[in-house]
Amino acid sequence: MMKTGALAEPISTLVVDDEPLARRNLTVLLQEDPGIGSIEECTSGAEAVEAIRRRKPDLIFLDVQMPQCDGFDVLELLGTDLPRAIIFVTAHDDYALRAFEAGALDYLLKPFDDARFIRALARAKEKIAHFSTDQHLPHRLAVKAPGKLLFIDISDIDWVEAASYYSCLHVGQKTHAIRRTMAELERDLGDRFVRIHRSTIVNVQRVSGLQLQPSGDYAVLLRSGVQLRLSRRYRRSLAERMVSAAPAI
């Protein structure tokens, strides 16, 4: 029987692959490890998104290439509901390597042997154990880019703007498009962010002040020098959030 180290609680796991044989192979290997608890299989990316939100598994084995909704799409659509450990499974090393470099925990290149699986699972257990002892790890958003996946710390985001069916995350000098609505992002980003316009959300910690405009409206000034329109509808909520976010004297 394989052993890769024990944790206090069994690890709940999700296996996502559109190929039945590939799913079964991973499930059999996982069942041999006493540290693994419940195991659920998903046959598509869309099914995986629903299952992860419902079950919140500790670990997922995620196929990269699946029709309609691939592995990168799954993580992007999850928002901040990302599992503690993500292992990509793929037959294409170029996709897996790029994802790994972008911050994914590990990847399994099909076909893989038992030894390679054991190493990947051991890494997952170490990360999950570390996560359990540190409740202050920053939340991240997964953003799909050509051929890879980026993991962005929420605290690094300066502001967000609506862009048709996408939203744009402004992080320093970089902009990342993500397939999430403004309503979803406003919910996921939490109290550190506040909406200032129907198409704009800002990180409260990046706000340096307000600038009165000739029209009588105000613009929100960010520390980076960016000016953003403040809608009268959201003026009060911004003021309240700025006061609550200010350090005590």
Side-chain angles (χ1 to χ4, degrees), residues 8-211:
E9 298 291 336
I11 297 174
S12 58
T13 307
L14 194 69
V15 176
V16 186
D17 201 308
D18 60 326
E19 299 178 2
L21 184 59
R23 292 197 307 273
R24 184 56 186 166
N25 182 39
L26 281 168
T27 297
V28 169
L29 291 172
L30 287 165
Q31 288 173 337
E32 295 180 16
D33 190 289
I36 300 298
S38 62
I39 305 171
E40 183 174 334
E41 296 182 8
C42 290
T43 64
S44 69
E47 183 182 344
V49 171
E50 189 279 330
I52 292 169
R53 287 174 174 165
R54 170 172 46 84
R55 293 191 56 222
K56 299 189 182 302
D58 303 308
L59 168 65
I60 62 170
F61 287 84
L62 182 61
D63 187 20
V64 173
Q65 286 199 322
M66 293 180 288
Q68 298 181 339
C69 182
D70 65 22
F72 293 164
D73 292 328
V74 168
L75 299 187
E76 185 180 34
L77 291 170
L78 285 173
T80 54
D81 294 329
L82 296 173
R84 298 178 180 182
I86 302 162
I87 297 177
F88 281 100
V89 184
T90 178
H92 305 276
D93 60 352
D94 55 343
Y95 287 110
L97 285 171
R98 290 171 187 171
F100 178 64
E101 291 168 356
L105 174 64
D106 205 343
Y107 72 94
L108 291 174
L109 183 62
K110 302 174 184 177
F112 53 85
D113 56 25
D114 289 2
R116 180 67 184 90
F117 171 82
I118 292 172
R119 291 198 300 272
L121 185 56
R123 293 191 66 197
K125 286 188 172 185
E126 290 175 3
K127 182 171 183 178
I128 293 169
H130 176 70
F131 188 99
S132 299
T133 58
D134 187 350
Q135 299 302 318
H136 302 287
L137 293 176
H139 290 293
R140 299 185 297 172
L141 287 176
V143 178
K144 186 178 180 182
K148 62 183 178 181
L149 194 72
L150 303 175
F151 293 99
I152 298 176
D153 287 349
I154 286 178
S155 59
D156 291 336
I157 300 172
D158 299 322
W159 60 289
V160 183
E161 67 175 327
S164 186
Y165 298 105
Y166 289 78
S167 296
C168 290
L169 309 179
H170 294 270
V171 183
Q173 299 299 314
K174 297 182 178 180
T175 301
H176 306 279
I178 184 171
R179 294 196 305 174
R180 305 273 291 170
T181 68
M182 295 292 282
E184 290 171 336
L185 287 172
E186 187 175 22
R187 178 200 65 201
D188 288 345
L189 293 174
D191 293 339
R192 287 175 288 182
F193 289 76
V194 61
R195 188 185 287 253
I196 62 170
H197 189 271
R198 61 182 176 83
S199 61
T200 313
I201 299 171
V202 299
N203 185 336
V204 174
Q205 298 300 322
R206 299 295 195 273
V207 177
S208 62
L210 301 179
Q211 177 71 53

Side-chain angles (χ1 to χ4, degrees), residues 208-242:
S208 62
L210 301 179
Q211 177 71 53
L212 181 62
Q213 304 296 298
S215 63
D217 292 329
Y218 284 89
V220 176
L221 305 181
L222 302 189
R223 300 186 190 282
S224 63
V226 172
Q227 294 189 21
L228 302 170
R229 179 184 174 188
L230 172 60
S231 170
R232 294 184 181 183
R233 174 183 176 186
Y234 298 103
R235 188 182 299 177
R236 182 173 180 177
S237 61
L238 173 63
E240 292 174 347
R241 189 67 58 83
M242 293 300 297

